Amino acid sequence: MKLLDLQGYASPKDSKTHIRIPFELEEGCVKLNLRLQYTPKTLRLLKESYDLYILPEHREYAIANADRHLPLKNLITLSLDDARGYRGACHRQDEVQDLYVSDREASPGLMAGELVPGPWSVTLSLHCIVTDTCTYRLEVWTTEEDSI
């Protein structure tokens, strides 16, 4: 059963902020599934940006050492709380994350255990948004079987 399908947009001004997204879990849930995806992942710098943003006397050094700093990446991570409290966090670089939690198992970073009915929430942490716009989508759904 689909519980949540939310899409949103973020910009650089949203960096270092959090978005709390509540949802309700009904009695009898066996497995809770979450999918977080966002795009784009990286900011593509054009050669012209060196001419625009780097002083001429530093340009050669910047181009020679660009690999140390590039690519610049958006980073959005997810944490989960149930009706009783913290259920874990998934601080991953992946732009698509398929996660789950059940009473027996959970994705790394999340804690397996009773799926308590009631208010739950996902918190999206927008650590760094380097592109003009970053589109994200969060889906949450339940399944009747505890299978991966």
Side-chain angles (χ1 to χ4, degrees):
M1 174 188 340
K2 185 169 277 197
L3 302 178
L4 185 67
D5 188 354
L6 174 82
Q7 294 185 39
Y9 304 93
S11 69
K13 69 177 177 50
D14 298 310
S15 293
K16 300 179 183 174
T17 64
H18 305 278
I19 301 170
R20 186 177 174 276
I21 303 162
F23 65 93
E24 192 76 18
L25 189 66
E26 295 181 6
E27 182 81 37
C29 174
V30 176
K31 183 179 179 185
L32 183 66
N33 305 282
L34 305 105
R35 171 177 264 214
L36 170 64
Q37 52 188 338
Y38 60 96
T39 190
K41 179 63 182 172
T42 59
L43 172 66
R44 303 259 181 232
L45 291 178
L46 302 174
K47 182 182 178 315
E48 294 79 27
S49 65
Y50 289 99
D51 296 336
L52 289 172
Y53 301 112
I54 298 176
L55 295 172
E57 62 267 26
H58 300 297
R59 219 170 273 150
E60 184 177 331
Y61 176 82
I63 292 170
N65 292 287
D67 290 343
R68 293 176 50 202
H69 309 287
L70 299 175
L72 298 177
K73 296 178 181 178
N74 289 328
L75 178 60
I76 300 176
T77 63
L78 174 155
S79 60
L80 182 67
D81 292 273
D82 69 13
R84 295 179 182 159
Y86 183 71
R87 289 296 291 257
C90 299
H91 284 195
R92 296 180 170 89
Q93 291 284 337
D94 305 325
E95 59 195 275
V96 178
Q97 298 178 35
D98 287 310
L99 309 164
Y100 67 95
V101 63
S102 73
D103 64 340
R104 297 180 307 131
E105 297 179 276
S107 298
L110 299 178
M111 293 182 272
E114 181 183 1
L115 299 180
V116 181
W120 286 57
S121 66
V122 170
T123 300
L124 299 180
S125 296
L126 288 68
H127 297 274
C128 185
I129 305 298
V130 296
T131 56
D132 288 341
T133 301
C134 180
T135 303
Y136 60 86
R137 182 177 185 187
L138 174 66
E139 297 172 87
V140 179
W141 72 97
T142 61
T143 50
E144 295 179 9
E145 293 184 28
D146 184 10
S147 60
I148 298 174

